[in-house]
């Protein structure tokens, strides 16, 4: 039973790392990528809808995003959502498609992106620590019925080792992303 708790905790920690990588993919690091628009929600028929569900997103070159909506009436809503987002992008609409040209990153913007990266990293670390707390609580509950005190302590140490390993993974991912952002 404690093995199940440890395995479940490690699976959840792995998912926290994947969520961090997905969030970091939405940060601009100098190259155009459709993932930049993952967090942009378009008000479409009264429901917030991701841009990727309303349009085909391409990158014809490293500095341009080309958005071709399936429903031509949604162009204005997509354009408005991109302008309202915190991405700092200005879309240009030609009537049938939207083109976004990414300006070069300034040093100030790069530093802001690094701060945002660190915030995402801290959120991931907090999530991992919360998973550790939940797993330790579950093992402590088992201590009252099926698990001895020594076994409980050993399992909690194993969970702490997994936590340390995943937090080190978060740091590694953050360093790689910061290096990518600061690269001129």
């Amino acid at each position: 039973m404690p093995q199940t708790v440890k395995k479940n905790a490690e699976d959840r920690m792995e998912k926290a790392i994947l969520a961090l990588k997905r969030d970091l993919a939405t940060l601009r690091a100098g190259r155009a990528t459709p993932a930049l628009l993952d967090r942009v929600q378009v008000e479409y028929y009264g429901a917030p809808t991701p841009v990727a569900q309303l349009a085909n997103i391409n990158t014809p070159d490293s500095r341009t995003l080309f958005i071709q909506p399936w429903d031509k009436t949604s162009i204005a809503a997509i354009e408005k959502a991109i302008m309202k987002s915190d991405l700092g992008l200005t879309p240009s609409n030609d009537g049938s498609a939207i083109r976004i040209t990414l300006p070069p990153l300034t040093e100030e913007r790069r530093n802001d992106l690094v701060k945002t990266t660190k915030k995402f990293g801290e959120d991931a670390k907090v999530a991992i620590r919360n998973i550790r707390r939940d797993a330790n609580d579950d093992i402590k509950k088992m201590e009252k019925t099926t698990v001895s005190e020594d076994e409980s302590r050993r399992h909690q140490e194993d969970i702490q080792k997994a936590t340390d390993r995943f937090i080190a993974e978060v740091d590694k991912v953050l360093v790689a992303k910061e290096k990518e952002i600061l690269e001129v």
Side-chain angles (χ1 to χ4, degrees):
M1 191 84 137
Q3 271 70 10
T4 307
V5 171
K6 288 192 299 188
K7 178 69 174 142
N8 184 28
E10 287 187 9
D11 289 345
R12 290 175 57 202
M13 288 178 189
E14 185 66 39
K15 288 178 184 173
I17 297 288
L18 293 174
L20 171 66
K21 289 178 180 178
R22 188 178 57 245
D23 287 343
L24 291 178
T26 65
L27 292 179
R28 182 173 156 223
R31 290 182 291 287
T33 174
L36 286 174
L37 301 176
D38 282 353
R39 291 186 293 157
V40 176
Q41 297 286 317
V42 178
E43 191 66 31
Y44 188 66
Y45 289 112
T49 309
V51 175
Q53 291 182 7
L54 298 174
N56 189 17
I57 304 170
N58 295 315
T59 54
D61 59 54
S62 66
R63 291 251 189 255
T64 307
L65 282 173
F66 187 73
I67 305 165
Q68 198 165 15
W70 294 306
D71 179 7
K72 302 299 181 206
T73 60
S74 66
I75 285 182
I78 293 172
E79 190 174 22
K80 182 179 177 182
I82 292 169
M83 290 174 80
K84 285 172 63 176
S85 72
D86 63 347
L87 297 173
L89 301 175
T90 307
S92 63
N93 175 354
D94 68 4
S96 63
I98 298 172
R99 186 176 305 275
I100 301 172
T101 303
L102 302 176
L105 290 174
T106 63
E107 185 174 348
E108 180 181 337
R109 181 68 178 141
R110 288 178 195 275
N111 290 334
D112 288 344
L113 288 172
V114 168
K115 288 178 187 175
T116 304
T117 300
K118 289 181 181 182
K119 180 192 171 302
F120 284 146
E122 281 306 311
D123 291 347
K125 288 178 183 180
V126 167
I128 289 170
R129 291 181 189 122
N130 287 339
I131 294 166
R132 174 191 61 194
R133 183 196 62 225
D134 293 344
N136 284 339
D137 289 347
D138 290 344
I139 288 181
K140 286 177 186 175
K141 287 177 188 171
M142 287 181 206
E143 186 177 319
K144 296 176 183 173
T145 57
T146 58
V147 178
S148 72
E149 199 174 308
D150 290 339
E151 259 187 295
S152 171
R153 188 174 315 279
R154 188 171 54 251
H155 290 300
Q156 289 178 33
E157 288 172 0
D158 291 344
I159 290 170
Q160 181 60 46
K161 288 176 187 173
T163 302
D164 293 341
R165 188 175 73 245
F166 281 102
I167 286 180
E169 177 73 18
V170 167
D171 290 335
K172 191 167 69 172
V173 168
L174 290 178
V175 166
K177 185 65 176 184
E178 287 176 23
K179 182 180 176 188
E180 182 182 340
I181 288 171
L182 294 175
E183 189 176 286
V184 178

